[in-house]
Amino acid sequence: MEAIQTMIVDALGPFGPLMVVGLLGVFMILLTLPILLKREKDPLDKLRGAAGTGTEKKEKGKKLRAGNKDKLEKYSNFLEPQNAAEYSAIRLKLMQAGYRSKDSVRMYNFLQFTLGILGLVLGGAYAAFQSVQTTVTPDQLALWILAPAGAGYMLPRYWVTRRQQARQQAIIDAFPDSLDMMLVCVEAGQSLDQSIMRVSQELRTGYPDLADEFEIVTQESKAGKDKTTVLKDLAERCGVPDISSFVTVMVQSQQFGTSISDALRVYASEMRDKRVMRAEEAANKLPTKMTLATMMLTVPPLMAILIGPSIYAIVQNLGG
């Protein structure tokens, strides 16, 4: 053991044994994790499957035909939050980012775990390589190992957040035009459900995100879901204040029996004015944002042109 320890210290430096133990621990976790997470099938489930109804047998046949399509299902207890509130929050965030798959939460947590472990392994390998080349401090060692792991763990969250923001901005940009089209459809004699279906078809080319949401509303209405619930689900999926206000207006118009076309006309006018105000606000912010860039790009060359010759002459006089 002393000979092995001496060989490791000579090869990897004074922190070589610690690094070897850490890497061995990571590999042992990776090896034992599938065994620990593997769930045994409940005998009661086997009995229910044997005495199942025709619907259950049909679903079982679909699963068998699907094969190993969802290989992460047996790790769901580890990859999915067990707290209902936390699971709902992650699920809602992914839906607002456009990921509506039933296993999206599982895949999201799997990517976080996998990229974190991959970053830890790569950081450990880089730290071992640097320890062979030069002498490193414990702070540098910890930074090289933990920084890639933290970056890999946070990368899926960063991607989902950016995707959510981009999708919400696309919905905000498309919403005033969709209201104008919806108002035309309603005034032409169509119902609200028919107008939403027609708008989803017309918006497909230019604004696919909002078209997808309207199509989901149409499908849920055809399935017999309550219209109020459908509209509230739309506001929750989008996460945009303009959509939430629109849903409130439509629900109140339905409850109080007022004209939907009048409510749409007033709200569409407000959305057009709001879009103009957003454009004016962005235009007014532009000079302020350009000030720093203008100073950084123009002041140094101007100072070099004005003061450069004088400094050169002074240096030449002092040297002479």
Side-chain angles (χ1 to χ4, degrees), residues 188-260:
Q190 293 183 346
S191 64
L192 182 62
D193 296 336
Q194 293 174 341
S195 63
I196 290 176
M197 181 177 62
R198 182 60 184 270
V199 169
S200 66
Q201 296 173 357
E202 297 294 334
L203 290 177
R204 176 65 57 188
T205 303
Y207 305 106
D209 295 323
L210 187 58
D212 290 339
E213 296 297 337
F214 282 158
E215 185 177 358
I216 293 174
V217 171
T218 303
Q219 293 174 355
E220 289 181 348
S221 299
K222 288 181 179 180
K225 199 172 182 179
D226 183 63
K227 185 181 296 185
T228 302
T229 306
V230 170
L231 293 176
K232 289 182 179 179
D233 291 342
L234 170 66
E236 187 177 8
R237 286 195 309 270
C238 294
V240 176
D242 294 343
I243 303 290
S244 301
S245 301
F246 165 74
V247 169
T248 302
V249 171
M250 291 296 100
V251 171
Q252 291 179 352
S253 177
Q254 181 182 2
Q255 290 177 349
F256 296 119
T258 58
S259 175
I260 295 179

Side-chain angles (χ1 to χ4, degrees), residues 3-317:
I4 295 175
Q5 184 176 0
T6 304
M7 182 178 62
I8 293 175
V9 171
D10 294 338
L12 301 177
F15 298 100
L18 180 61
M19 295 170 58
V20 171
V21 171
L23 291 176
L24 287 177
V26 172
F27 287 123
M28 290 297 294
I29 292 174
L30 294 177
L31 290 174
T32 57
L33 191 59
I35 299 174
L36 294 176
L37 296 178
K38 186 177 181 181
R39 295 185 302 172
E40 295 292 336
K41 190 172 182 180
D42 192 353
L44 293 177
D45 293 337
K46 296 181 180 180
L47 293 175
R48 294 191 190 98
T53 61
T55 304
E56 292 175 349
K57 291 181 180 179
K58 187 182 295 184
E59 292 178 355
K60 186 177 180 180
K62 291 180 180 179
K63 292 181 180 179
L64 290 176
R65 287 192 298 270
N68 295 328
K69 186 176 180 180
D70 190 4
K71 297 181 180 180
L72 300 178
E73 186 176 0
K74 57 184 177 181
Y75 306 126
S76 59
N77 288 336
F78 174 74
L79 295 176
E80 292 181 356
Q82 300 303 310
N83 188 359
E86 185 179 356
Y87 179 86
S88 300
I90 298 177
R91 175 70 173 164
L92 178 61
K93 186 178 183 67
L94 291 172
M95 289 180 63
Q96 292 177 356
Y99 303 107
R100 303 187 186 90
S101 176
K102 62 180 182 180
D103 58 343
S104 58
V105 178
R106 191 182 309 157
M107 183 60 67
Y108 171 74
N109 290 327
F110 172 73
L111 288 176
Q112 279 191 318
F113 177 77
T114 304
L115 292 178
I117 294 296
L118 181 61
L120 185 64
V121 172
L122 293 178
Y126 178 76
F129 176 76
Q130 290 294 329
S131 298
V132 174
Q133 300 294 326
T134 59
T135 303
V136 297
T137 62
D139 295 337
Q140 292 177 338
L141 191 64
L143 180 63
W144 290 340
I145 295 176
L146 297 180
Y153 181 80
M154 295 301 296
L155 183 60
R157 181 175 299 182
Y158 172 77
W159 171 261
V160 170
T161 301
R162 291 295 301 271
R163 182 71 182 89
Q164 178 189 16
Q165 294 174 353
R167 190 170 183 272
Q168 288 178 345
Q169 186 60 44
I171 292 175
I172 291 174
D173 295 337
F175 190 57
D177 294 335
S178 68
L179 284 179
D180 292 335
M181 296 174 62
M182 197 178 301
L183 176 61
V184 172
C185 294
V186 171
E187 289 182 343
Q190 293 183 346
S191 64
L192 182 62
D193 296 336
Q194 293 174 341
S195 63
I196 290 176
M197 181 177 62
R198 182 60 184 270
V199 169
S200 66
Q201 296 173 357
E202 297 294 334
L203 290 177
R204 176 65 57 188
T205 303
Y207 305 106
D209 295 323
L210 187 58
D212 290 339
E213 296 297 337
F214 282 158
E215 185 177 358
I216 293 174
V217 171
T218 303
Q219 293 174 355
E220 289 181 348
S221 299
K222 288 181 179 180
K225 199 172 182 179
D226 183 63
K227 185 181 296 185
T228 302
T229 306
V230 170
L231 293 176
K232 289 182 179 179
D233 291 342
L234 170 66
E236 187 177 8
R237 286 195 309 270
C238 294
V240 176
D242 294 343
I243 303 290
S244 301
S245 301
F246 165 74
V247 169
T248 302
V249 171
M250 291 296 100
V251 171
Q252 291 179 352
S253 177
Q254 181 182 2
Q255 290 177 349
F256 296 119
T258 58
S259 175
I260 295 179
S261 61
D262 293 340
L264 277 175
R265 186 180 300 107
V266 173
Y267 195 71
S269 177
E270 291 180 359
M271 288 297 101
R272 287 194 298 270
D273 295 340
K274 193 172 182 180
R275 180 169 58 182
V276 172
M277 287 189 293
R278 279 198 294 262
E280 292 177 351
E281 182 181 359
N284 293 330
K285 288 180 180 179
L286 190 60
T288 305
K289 293 180 179 179
M290 292 179 61
T291 300
L292 182 60
T294 303
M295 292 178 61
M296 293 177 63
L297 295 175
T298 58
V299 172
L302 183 62
M303 296 296 292
I305 293 172
L306 295 177
I307 304 177
S310 301
I311 295 176
Y312 179 77
I314 293 173
V315 171
Q316 289 294 328
N317 292 331

